Amino acid sequence: MAVTRQKLAVVPADADLSKEDFRIRQLRARDMLRGDLEGEDLEKYVEERVLTTTLDKAVAWARSNALFPATFGLACCAIEMMSIVAARVDVARFGFEAFRASPRQADLLILSGRISIKMAPVVRRIYDQMLEPKWAIAMGACSSSQGLFNNYAIVPADKFMPVDVHVPGCPPRPEALMHGILKLRKMIQDDPDIPWREGHKAHGTEEVIPADEQEAAVNVLLPGPTSGA
Ligand code: SF4
């Protein structure tokens, strides 16, 4: 690599800054600090560098980039959740690595696992102890939809507390959880993605199966002797 010395010179006002020439920007900054920029040049310099926004947007931006998740795991999904702080996914890149041991210091509850009916009031209490504003992610099939269990003891999270994002999978990979957290970040910034159905103009089975055939579609194991029953 060759290092060349250049003589400092006042940068002409019509110099092309679009080329991202670092040297020109450096010299322009020097001129500004010296007080050599005046009138139109100074106005142009400030216009290129000042960003205006609203207080709400700035607060939402700060909140969405500094989520404090609660240190709280429920079942097998929690192992995947723990791994998001490791080097492979590295949630610290986004500023979410400070897992808090107290719900009073956390603003994100990741429901990482199945929730039994006995455990639901405990989870709800933890959620209630968190200060506003707060958010919740249902991680995995169990906390989103009762999961792979056809079991009277498991309850989906939506039944007893508000959930902002559902992450599908059993268990979801750490990357999937990360994707869910980034979706939540966009929601906090008031810029949510288009819902999947709306974006793909998709329809659920309940909309395309004729009404008289729906019962057979819902009951996978029909009443009576079946090989799987
Ligand atoms: S979704 Fe799968 S991995 Fe997660 S808690 Fe349920 S059974 Fe375990």
Side-chain angles (χ1 to χ4, degrees), residues 4-106:
T4 55
R5 295 180 74 87
Q6 292 179 3
K7 209 174 171 194
L8 292 180
V10 175
V11 182
D14 57 350
D16 185 8
L17 293 183
S18 62
K19 290 181 184 160
E20 300 288 329
D21 188 325
F22 182 69
R23 184 69 179 152
I24 292 179
R25 285 171 188 276
Q26 198 181 19
L27 294 176
R28 183 66 57 78
R30 186 207 59 181
D31 292 346
M32 198 276 295
L33 290 171
R34 274 186 183 170
D36 288 349
L37 283 187
E38 284 177 351
E40 266 186 33
D41 292 348
L42 183 60
E43 219 166 276
K44 190 166 172 245
Y45 182 89
V46 173
E47 264 175 26
E48 282 169 359
R49 283 156 185 84
V50 172
L51 182 76
T52 55
T53 184
T54 62
L55 181 63
D56 282 352
K57 278 190 180 168
V59 169
W61 176 84
R63 277 179 181 154
S64 65
N65 285 294
L67 289 170
F68 281 22
T71 312
F72 179 71
L74 280 159
C76 8
C77 276
I79 307 299
E80 302 292 321
M81 181 188 71
M82 289 173 210
S83 69
I84 64 170
V85 293
R88 189 183 172 93
V89 175
D90 191 14
V91 75
R93 287 176 296 159
F94 303 100
F96 312 144
E97 79 280 18
F99 276 70
R100 310 313 298 178
S102 162
R104 291 173 182 83
Q105 296 169 354

Side-chain angles (χ1 to χ4, degrees), residues 204-218:
T205 48
E206 72 280 5
E207 288 151 17
V208 294
I209 294 180
D212 54 333
E213 292 173 25
Q214 277 194 15
E215 195 185 346
V218 171

Side-chain angles (χ1 to χ4, degrees), residues 118-130:
K118 245 184 170 178
M119 190 66 181
V122 180
V123 175
R124 177 70 211 212
R125 172 171 286 205
I126 290 172
Y127 182 75
D128 288 343
Q129 285 175 337
M130 289 164 56

